[in-house]
CSV table of all heavy atoms in Angstrom, one decimal:
chain,number,residue,atom,x,y,z
E,32,LEU,N,4.8,4.9,-16.7
E,32,LEU,CA,5.5,4.2,-15.7
E,32,LEU,C,5.2,2.7,-15.8
E,32,LEU,O,4.2,2.2,-16.2
E,32,LEU,CB,5.3,4.5,-14.3
E,32,LEU,CG,5.6,6.0,-13.9
E,32,LEU,CD1,5.2,6.3,-12.5
E,32,LEU,CD2,7.0,6.4,-14.2
E,33,VAL,N,6.3,1.8,-15.7
E,33,VAL,CA,6.1,0.3,-15.7
E,33,VAL,C,6.6,-0.3,-14.5
E,33,VAL,O,7.5,0.2,-13.8
E,33,VAL,CB,6.7,-0.2,-17.0
E,33,VAL,CG1,6.1,0.4,-18.3
E,33,VAL,CG2,8.2,0.1,-17.0
E,34,PHE,N,6.1,-1.4,-14.2
E,34,PHE,CA,6.6,-2.3,-13.1
E,34,PHE,C,7.6,-3.2,-13.6
E,34,PHE,O,7.3,-4.0,-14.5
E,34,PHE,CB,5.3,-2.9,-12.4
E,34,PHE,CG,5.8,-3.9,-11.3
E,34,PHE,CD1,6.0,-3.3,-10.0
E,34,PHE,CD2,5.9,-5.2,-11.4
E,34,PHE,CE1,6.4,-4.0,-8.9
E,34,PHE,CE2,6.2,-6.0,-10.4
E,34,PHE,CZ,6.4,-5.4,-9.1
E,35,ARG,N,8.7,-3.3,-13.0
E,35,ARG,CA,9.7,-4.3,-13.2
E,35,ARG,C,10.0,-5.1,-11.9
E,35,ARG,O,10.4,-4.5,-10.9
E,35,ARG,CB,11.0,-3.6,-13.6
E,35,ARG,CG,10.9,-2.8,-14.9
E,35,ARG,CD,10.9,-3.6,-16.1
E,35,ARG,NE,11.0,-2.9,-17.3
E,35,ARG,CZ,10.1,-2.8,-18.3
E,35,ARG,NH1,9.0,-3.6,-18.1
E,35,ARG,NH2,10.2,-2.1,-19.3
E,36,PRO,N,9.7,-6.4,-11.9
E,36,PRO,CA,9.8,-7.2,-10.8
E,36,PRO,C,11.3,-7.4,-10.4
E,36,PRO,O,12.1,-7.5,-11.3
E,36,PRO,CB,9.1,-8.5,-11.1
E,36,PRO,CG,9.1,-8.6,-12.5
E,36,PRO,CD,9.0,-7.1,-13.0
E,37,LEU,N,11.6,-7.4,-9.1
E,37,LEU,CA,12.9,-7.7,-8.7
E,37,LEU,C,13.3,-9.2,-8.8
E,37,LEU,O,12.3,-10.0,-8.6
E,37,LEU,CB,13.2,-7.3,-7.2
E,37,LEU,CG,13.0,-5.8,-7.0
E,37,LEU,CD1,13.0,-5.6,-5.5
E,37,LEU,CD2,14.0,-5.0,-7.7
E,38,ASP,N,14.5,-9.5,-9.1
E,38,ASP,CA,14.9,-10.9,-9.2
E,38,ASP,C,16.2,-11.1,-8.4
E,38,ASP,O,17.2,-10.4,-8.7
E,38,ASP,CB,15.1,-11.4,-10.6
E,38,ASP,CG,15.2,-12.8,-10.8
E,38,ASP,OD1,14.7,-13.6,-9.9
E,38,ASP,OD2,15.9,-13.2,-11.7
E,39,PRO,N,16.2,-11.8,-7.3
E,39,PRO,CA,15.2,-12.8,-6.9
E,39,PRO,C,14.1,-12.0,-6.2
E,39,PRO,O,14.2,-10.9,-5.8
E,39,PRO,CB,15.9,-13.6,-5.9
E,39,PRO,CG,17.0,-12.8,-5.3
E,39,PRO,CD,17.4,-12.0,-6.5
E,40,VAL,N,12.9,-12.6,-6.1
E,40,VAL,CA,11.7,-12.0,-5.5
E,40,VAL,C,11.9,-11.7,-4.0
E,40,VAL,O,12.5,-12.4,-3.3
E,40,VAL,CB,10.5,-13.0,-5.6
E,40,VAL,CG1,9.3,-12.5,-4.9
E,40,VAL,CG2,10.2,-13.4,-7.1
E,41,ILE,N,11.5,-10.5,-3.6
E,41,ILE,CA,11.6,-10.0,-2.3
E,41,ILE,C,10.2,-9.9,-1.7
E,41,ILE,O,9.4,-9.3,-2.3
E,41,ILE,CB,12.3,-8.6,-2.2
E,41,ILE,CG1,13.7,-8.8,-2.7
E,41,ILE,CG2,12.3,-8.1,-0.8
E,41,ILE,CD1,14.4,-7.4,-2.8
E,42,TYR,N,9.9,-10.5,-0.6
E,42,TYR,CA,8.6,-10.6,0.1
E,42,TYR,C,8.7,-9.5,1.3
E,42,TYR,O,9.7,-9.3,1.9
E,42,TYR,CB,8.3,-11.9,0.6
E,42,TYR,CG,8.0,-12.9,-0.5
E,42,TYR,CD1,9.1,-13.8,-1.0
E,42,TYR,CD2,6.9,-12.9,-1.2
E,42,TYR,CE1,8.9,-14.6,-2.0
E,42,TYR,CE2,6.6,-13.8,-2.2
E,42,TYR,CZ,7.7,-14.6,-2.6
E,42,TYR,OH,7.5,-15.5,-3.7
E,43,SER,N,7.5,-8.9,1.5
E,43,SER,CA,7.4,-8.0,2.6
E,43,SER,C,6.0,-8.2,3.3
E,43,SER,O,5.0,-8.3,2.8
E,43,SER,CB,7.3,-6.5,2.0
E,43,SER,OG,7.1,-5.6,3.1
E,44,ALA,N,6.2,-8.2,4.6
E,44,ALA,CA,4.9,-8.3,5.5
E,44,ALA,C,4.3,-7.0,5.6
E,44,ALA,O,5.1,-5.9,5.8
E,44,ALA,CB,5.3,-8.9,6.9
E,45,ASN,N,3.0,-6.8,5.7
E,45,ASN,CA,2.4,-5.6,5.9
E,45,ASN,C,1.6,-5.7,7.2
E,45,ASN,O,1.0,-6.7,7.5
E,45,ASN,CB,1.5,-5.3,4.7
E,45,ASN,CG,2.2,-5.1,3.4
E,45,ASN,OD1,2.9,-4.2,3.3
E,45,ASN,ND2,2.1,-6.1,2.5
E,46,TYR,N,1.5,-4.6,7.9
E,46,TYR,CA,0.7,-4.5,9.1
E,46,TYR,C,-0.1,-3.3,9.1
E,46,TYR,O,0.2,-2.2,8.7
E,46,TYR,CB,1.7,-4.4,10.3
E,46,TYR,CG,2.6,-5.6,10.4
E,46,TYR,CD1,3.9,-5.5,9.8
E,46,TYR,CD2,2.3,-6.8,11.1
E,46,TYR,CE1,4.7,-6.6,9.8
E,46,TYR,CE2,3.1,-7.8,11.1
E,46,TYR,CZ,4.3,-7.8,10.5
E,46,TYR,OH,5.1,-8.9,10.5
E,47,VAL,N,-1.3,-3.4,9.8
E,47,VAL,CA,-2.1,-2.3,10.1
E,47,VAL,C,-2.2,-2.2,11.6
E,47,VAL,O,-2.6,-3.2,12.3
E,47,VAL,CB,-3.5,-2.4,9.5
E,47,VAL,CG1,-4.5,-1.3,9.8
E,47,VAL,CG2,-3.5,-2.7,8.0
E,48,VAL,N,-1.8,-1.0,12.1
E,48,VAL,CA,-1.7,-0.9,13.6
E,48,VAL,C,-2.5,0.3,14.0
E,48,VAL,O,-2.6,1.3,13.4
E,48,VAL,CB,-0.2,-0.8,14.1
E,48,VAL,CG1,0.5,-2.1,13.7
E,48,VAL,CG2,0.4,0.3,13.5
Side-chain angles (χ1 to χ4, degrees):
L32 300 179
V33 294
F34 177 80
R35 300 281 188 239
L37 297 175
D38 190 28
V40 176
I41 297 174
Y42 293 95
S43 173
N45 297 292
Y46 300 93
V47 178
V48 298

